[in-house]
Amino acid sequence: MKVLKFGGTSVGTVDSIKSVLEIVKSSYDRGEKPLVVLSAMSGVTNLLTQMAENAAQRKSFAEDIKLLEEKHFEVVKQLIAIKYQNPVYTKLKLMLNELEEILQGVYALQELSLQSKDLIISYGERFSNYMVSKIMEQYIPESIYVDASHYMKTDSNFGNAHLNEELTTQLINSLKHTHADKLMFVTGFIGSNEEGRVTTLGRGGSDYTAAIFGSILGASVIEIWTDVNGMLTADPRIVKKAFSLPVLSYTEAMELSYFGAKVIYPPTMIPAFMKRIPIAIRNTFEPEFPGTIIQFESDCSQYPIKGISSISDVSIINLSGSGMIGKSGFSGRLFTLLAREQINVILITQSSSEHSITFAVNPSDAEKALKLIATEFELELQANKLVMPEVEKDLSVLAIVGENMKRTPGMSGRLFAALGRNGINVRAIAQGSSEFNISVIIAKEDLAKALNAVHDAFFAELKKTLHVFNLGTGNIGSTLFKQLAKQHDFLLDKNDLEIKVVGVANSRKMLFDKNGINLETWKEDLEANGQVSDLAAFVETMKSMNLPNCVFIDNTASKLPAKYYEDIFKSNISIVTCNKIANSGDYATYKLLHDTARRHGVDFFYETNVGAGLPIVRVLKDLMLSGDRILKIEAILSGTISYIFNNFVGEASFYDVVKKAQELGYTEPDPRDDLGGVDFMRKMLILARDAGYVVEAEDVELEQILPESCAAAASVDEFYAELLKADSFFNELKEKAAAQNKVIRYIGKLEEGKVSISMQMVDETHPFYSLSGSDNIISFTTERYKERPLVVKGPGAGAEVTAAGVFADLVNVGAK
């Protein structure tokens, strides 16, 4: 025998009732002897409550009566054969007339007692169960309607009645004895007192009815049919990655339900808990889905927790003072006071010094609690032994739940790391001695971000999501988007990583979409739907969206974005940049940004500042982290200059080579921007600082490649004219190098904290001798790599390799 309980959404429409009928018929046909408990049709209980309140205020309820009639009559019309309809219409009409008479009484008296209200709202369950039983009678003649108010006996606490278990047990057993061969449709939510007055069982009452019948009749399982696939790891409206849990223990389910999971109400589980009857949470609209089984013992899960639950709106009150220290019975006095006045305390935490107690309550109870405390502890407050408490509002509770937690070290650390990395401040913490639950109180505005961040942290096998805000859509930015689109499936399958570009901006327009911008059509979407670009507004919008695991990418060469880096770090957002300006400005700014990123636990990645896609910055950091000591760094870090000197051989003149480099797009429109060595200097400056040296730009010894006449030319044309005149100067250098079997290289060097960049002639024993094309190369001489330096070599320029470097930095965000 099993109990099937269907909620309001399951009997809300003609189509949903059809689904209920199929589920019940399938169970009956399998010989499972089901007993069915139905709630009122969705929206009916609220409508009945509204009608009762309107009647008490002398407002008309005639239209609502008509609406109730139409709602139920339409189901009868659709699902009962015409020849059987009239008796059902008649019975429903009689019940509607009874309801109308009661409402007329309330209207005349202008008074709505709890007793009258219970009677009025009980009609919702009566309508639905009678109606569905008559529909089912067409297929299973043994179907009957049972009014549970005759069997669920309670006290007279109207609105939230308590069960008389002994009498209820006798009556339900007698019902089963007299109707052993019947398919019963039982009204949920309602009972009656000793005088036969209808009562209601309060929140979750229909589930409670199902649990009581199941417990007394010894059901093999109690199935709660609703509109979700069981109990999920988190609220699916907030956490899109939430998934159904196959098995929960009673304790886990109660903990999750207490902290906001609305699928089941904890007290409804107690009768099943006492008899160890499993409870199955199933989806009426996906009956093939197995849902969640709630049983006495939990299963062995691969995850350290079972779920993350939350209460979205709470207030906290902090009571502190020396009068609490060592004062036995103080807590009992406080919480007895609150309980006596029906104030539910959601969470309690107390300092080990006994100097303070913090507790959370519903916001509607907060001011009442303050007044009670002020009255009860008036003498202590006047004597300054207690500080008058204040209410902190707009807070939420987040709780992680699971029996595996007590066997898994590091649960608290993982929780607080996920919150801290996303800049979520914890106001209070509570953990039970059972270690089934760790609860934290956070700002209400951070709840969605916190739920997603914590879900990612604990369900590691799921895809981690990075939310990217990209500034700059030129060659590098647009190439990055192509690479991200191409690698999207690979990242999901092989790295469990999803990258969502949720913000894009260039100098003209900016566009946001928290669900992710389409990387195939971003250009058209930005043009069609983007708003006028404003860097300050872009940063503020990024912050206000408050998404977890955010990354700001600076794919520009502008000075402006660097001004916002500190604020971005303080908002717990990581930065990936190919823009050198922030790291190569004054040292104080460099240090401030790095310290801020470290202090807020976010990443600052800029591999492309030095060698485009070459792993130079990362190699340097890894060497230092592993305890190696840098003795010397030598590098060629300008693809343009590398190309020029690699091709300045044989009969070629320096003028011809530079001209060719410009034609190929290796140089800036004015080649002196490259040949001046300033960009090279910035890269060496960043390496020196990352190696631990305090170096400013003016400390770098920068040897000029060009004669003064070339550097000082008034225009690009004049520059080339002067460069032609300087042919003899460069030819002498080339001939001198050739005579010594050497080649000319423009080399940067870091040694003993000194940075220099100069033209040098190197022979074939030098690692830079065989450099070709526009490649970059860097040589690390360290304590470990003393005899044979560690050399990194490869393309040092170009949109493809630079975008790839940004991509590599991006996928490493949060990896540590």
Side-chain angles (χ1 to χ4, degrees):
M1 180 264 174
K2 63 162 63 172
V3 174
L4 310 179
K5 181 267 172 179
F6 294 90
T9 54
S10 298
V11 289
T13 66
V14 169
D15 288 340
S16 63
I17 291 173
K18 287 180 180 177
S19 298
V20 170
L21 297 174
E22 286 302 318
I23 292 166
V24 176
K25 281 193 287 185
S26 295
S27 176
Y28 188 85
D29 291 344
R30 290 193 297 269
E32 293 172 342
K33 298 181 180 179
L35 180 145
V36 184
V37 177
L38 301 181
S39 296
M41 292 182 75
S42 59
V44 167
T45 301
N46 288 340
L47 180 60
L48 288 165
T49 302
Q50 178 186 311
M51 292 164 67
E53 292 169 352
N54 285 346
Q57 298 171 31
R58 287 283 180 100
K59 294 180 181 178
S60 174
F61 50 82
E63 287 299 318
D64 290 333
I65 286 282
K66 186 177 179 182
L67 180 62
L68 270 179
E69 180 178 305
E70 290 173 352
K71 189 176 181 74
H72 291 86
F73 278 24
E74 180 63 25
V75 175
V76 174
K77 179 182 176 182
Q78 295 279 344
L79 298 180
I80 294 183
I82 293 174
K83 61 182 177 179
Y84 300 123
Q85 287 179 4
N86 280 338
V88 181
Y89 284 142
T90 302
K91 176 65 175 177
L92 288 173
K93 190 65 176 176
L94 286 171
M95 286 196 280
L96 283 163
N97 290 341
E98 291 173 10
L99 172 64
E100 189 170 6
E101 287 177 9
I102 298 164
L103 289 167
Q104 288 288 2
V106 172
Y107 185 92
L109 293 171
Q110 292 184 294
E111 180 184 343
L112 179 63
S113 67
L114 288 175
Q115 178 178 323
S116 298
K117 187 175 181 180
D118 275 5
L119 181 57
I120 290 166
I121 62 178
S122 73
Y123 278 89
E125 270 69 18
R126 296 181 188 189
F127 291 151
S128 65
N129 279 271
Y130 172 74
M131 181 178 67
V132 176
S133 71
K134 288 301 177 182
I135 297 169
M136 184 61 85
E137 195 177 300
Q138 299 171 105
Y139 310 101
I140 303 175
E142 293 81 14
S143 301
I144 61 168
Y145 161 64
V146 176
D147 185 340
S149 65
H150 301 310
Y151 305 94
M152 296 279 286
K153 286 298 177 178
T154 71
D155 60 15
S156 297
N157 185 28
F158 295 101
N160 191 20
H162 301 106
L163 200 69
N164 180 331
E165 294 183 15
E166 184 177 348
L167 183 54
T168 297
T169 300
Q170 292 175 8
L171 291 170
I172 289 176
N173 277 325
S174 91
L175 170 70
K176 183 61 178 176
H177 180 72
T178 56
H179 295 91
D181 59 341
K182 300 297 183 181
L183 172 57
M184 291 182 277
F185 286 81
V186 181
T187 56
F189 184 55
I190 62 176
S192 64
N193 64 7
E194 291 182 0
E195 290 78 35
R197 303 284 188 183
V198 171
T199 59
T200 60
L201 304 174
R203 180 183 166 193
S206 292
D207 289 352
Y208 190 50
T209 301
I212 288 295
F213 271 85
S215 173
I216 292 171
L217 299 177
S220 59
V221 65
I222 298 165
E223 293 182 353
I224 308 294
W225 290 83
T226 180
D227 56 357
V228 293
N229 285 331
M231 296 189 76
L232 278 70
T233 51
D235 186 340
R237 295 167 300 178
I238 300 173
V239 181
K240 300 304 180 186
K241 299 178 187 175
F243 59 92
S244 179
L245 294 160
V247 178
L248 287 172
S249 70
Y250 292 123
T251 304
E252 289 171 333
M254 281 192 278
E255 290 279 2
L256 286 169
S257 298
Y258 179 76
F259 284 98
K262 306 298 183 186
V263 176
I264 195 167
Y265 183 52
T268 67
M269 287 185 279
I270 293 173
F273 179 88
M274 300 301 292
K275 295 285 186 73
R276 297 196 179 189
I277 299 171
I279 297 173
I281 309 296
R282 305 286 298 278
N283 190 341
T284 305
F285 308 101
E286 290 187 44
E288 69 284 352
F289 193 86
T292 301
I293 294 290
I294 302 170
Q295 58 189 30
F296 187 77
E297 293 181 346
S298 184
D299 65 335
C300 294
S301 172
Q302 60 179 315
Y303 302 113
I305 67 171
K306 281 296 179 67
I308 308 159
S309 201
S310 61
I311 301 174
S312 63
D313 195 9
V314 301
S315 295
I316 62 171
I317 298 172
N318 184 55
L319 193 59
S320 63
S322 59
M324 297 168 58
I325 301 174
K327 191 78 172 179
S328 60
F330 184 91
S331 298
R333 184 179 164 195
L334 170 64
F335 295 115
T336 299
L337 166 71
L338 298 173
R340 188 172 66 236
E341 298 298 326
Q342 301 294 308
I343 294 176
N344 180 43
V345 176
I346 297 168
L347 177 150
I348 305 166
T349 180
Q350 182 172 14
S351 66
S352 57
S353 65
E354 300 182 22
H355 183 266
S356 68
I357 294 176
T358 298
F359 59 94
V361 296
N362 291 320
S364 58
D365 291 332
E367 294 301 327
K368 181 181 177 182
L370 272 189
K371 291 176 182 176
L372 290 170
I373 291 169
T375 302
E376 177 71 20
F377 298 99
E378 183 179 6
L379 294 177
E380 289 91 337
L381 289 165
Q382 288 178 353
N384 292 324
K385 290 186 176 181
L386 288 180
V387 178
M388 185 62 197
E390 293 183 355
V391 175
E392 292 187 54
K393 300 178 180 179
D394 297 321
L395 301 170
S396 296
V397 178
L398 180 150
I400 58 171
V401 173
E403 291 188 4
N404 278 353
M405 288 166 58
K406 64 182 178 181
R407 294 183 288 272
T408 309
M411 290 294 94
S412 298
R414 196 185 300 190
L415 170 64
F416 296 122
L419 296 174
R421 182 173 181 85
N422 284 281
I424 299 163
N425 186 38
V426 175
R427 308 297 294 274
I429 306 163
Q431 180 173 10
S433 58
S434 65
E435 296 186 53
F436 288 169
N437 175 314
I438 301 175
S439 306
V440 295
I441 293 179
I442 60 175
K444 185 177 179 179
E445 65 182 8
D446 287 332
L447 180 60
K449 178 164 74 167
L451 284 169
N452 280 280
V454 173
H455 198 272
D456 270 0
F458 280 96
F459 298 102
E461 283 76 9
L462 299 177
K463 316 300 183 202
K464 176 182 176 180
T465 301
L466 294 179
H467 294 97
V468 172
F469 295 82
N470 182 85
L471 192 63
T473 60
N475 285 339
I476 296 170
S478 57
T479 303
L480 175 64
F481 290 166
K482 289 177 185 175
Q483 293 176 353
L484 287 173
K486 184 178 179 181
Q487 293 297 105
H488 179 268
D489 293 343
F490 178 85
L491 289 173
L492 279 175
D493 294 340
K494 305 299 182 183
N495 292 61
D496 295 322
L497 178 65
E498 181 173 22
I499 296 174
K500 284 186 179 180
V501 177
V502 293
V504 174
N506 55 32
S507 60
R508 296 177 298 102
K509 291 194 172 185
M510 60 185 186
L511 178 68
F512 300 94
D513 185 343
K514 68 178 181 180
N515 295 315
I517 293 167
N518 188 327
L519 295 183
E520 302 290 345
T521 62
W522 68 268
K523 193 174 293 185
E524 294 81 1
D525 294 340
L526 179 63
E527 193 62 35
N529 305 316
Q531 53 191 292
V532 176
S533 192
D534 181 314
L535 182 53
F538 185 83
V539 172
E540 284 305 311
T541 302
M542 174 176 66
K543 289 159 57 180
S544 66
M545 286 175 74
N546 210 21
L547 296 169
N549 305 317
C550 284
V551 186
F552 175 79
I553 299 181
D554 180 5
N555 275 327
T556 75
S558 170
K559 295 180 180 179
L560 294 177
K563 296 177 181 178
Y564 294 90
Y565 282 13
E566 182 185 2
D567 185 37
I568 292 169
F569 286 138
K570 286 181 176 179
S571 300
N572 291 85
I573 296 172
S574 295
I575 293 178
V576 171
T577 180
C578 63
N579 189 335
K580 305 177 190 67
I581 290 172
N583 280 317
S584 62
D586 61 272
Y587 180 80
T589 300
Y590 167 90
K591 188 174 188 307
L592 173 66
L593 295 178
H594 283 256
D595 289 348
T596 305
R598 185 169 57 253
R599 191 165 58 250
H600 287 269
V602 292
D603 293 315
F604 184 19
F605 289 153
Y606 46 90
E607 184 66 72
T608 50
N609 278 195
V610 177
L614 293 181
I616 294 174
V617 172
R618 190 169 292 116
V619 167
L620 174 58
K621 288 185 176 180
D622 288 346
L623 287 170
M624 297 181 67
L625 282 172
S626 66
D628 204 351
R629 189 167 73 87
I630 305 298
L631 302 178
K632 182 171 65 175
I633 295 175
E634 291 182 291
I636 295 175
L637 296 175
S638 169
T640 302
I641 297 175
S642 179
Y643 173 85
I644 289 170
F645 281 114
N646 287 339
N647 287 275
F648 184 42
V649 293
E651 298 300 318
S653 70
F654 198 76
Y655 171 91
D656 291 334
V657 175
V658 174
K659 198 76 173 171
K660 182 67 172 177
Q662 186 179 29
E663 290 171 2
L664 292 172
Y666 288 132
T667 74
E668 296 294 328
D670 187 338
R672 288 172 294 181
D673 292 342
D674 299 291
L675 292 168
V678 174
D679 186 64
F680 195 166
M681 179 273 292
R682 287 176 177 158
K683 295 177 179 180
M684 290 301 299
L685 194 61
I686 293 169
L687 285 176
R689 290 171 174 177
D690 281 1
Y693 296 106
V694 180
V695 184
E696 300 288 0
E698 54 267 26
D699 298 330
V700 178
E701 296 178 10
L702 179 62
E703 180 184 345
Q704 293 296 323
I705 297 173
L706 298 171
E708 181 59 30
S709 60
C710 296
S715 66
V716 174
D717 288 340
E718 288 186 23
F719 157 70
Y720 275 116
E722 291 297 327
L723 191 62
L724 194 57
K725 295 176 186 177
D727 250 3
S728 58
F729 169 77
F730 289 106
N731 284 333
E732 285 180 17
L733 288 175
K734 181 173 62 173
E735 289 166 4
K736 182 179 179 182
Q740 300 176 34
N741 292 321
K742 294 180 179 181
V743 291
I744 304 169
R745 297 288 183 255
Y746 194 53
I747 299 173
K749 183 169 72 171
L750 167 65
E751 191 170 18
E752 296 181 355
K754 303 294 182 182
V755 181
S756 62
I757 303 172
S758 61
M759 282 195 293
Q760 298 179 32
M761 297 180 185
V762 299
D763 61 24
E764 60 186 5
T765 63
H766 196 284
F768 296 178
Y769 178 83
S770 58
L771 197 64
S772 61
S774 60
D775 282 358
N776 282 2
I777 189 167
I778 186 165
S779 167
F780 295 97
T781 304
T782 72
E783 288 286 0
R784 295 175 189 154
Y785 295 92
K786 188 180 291 185
E787 300 302 323
R788 299 185 64 188
L790 174 61
V791 176
V792 178
K793 175 185 173 184
E800 286 288 342
V801 293
T802 304
V806 173
F807 195 150
D809 276 348
L810 178 58
V811 298
N812 279 290
V813 168
K816 60 186 178 182

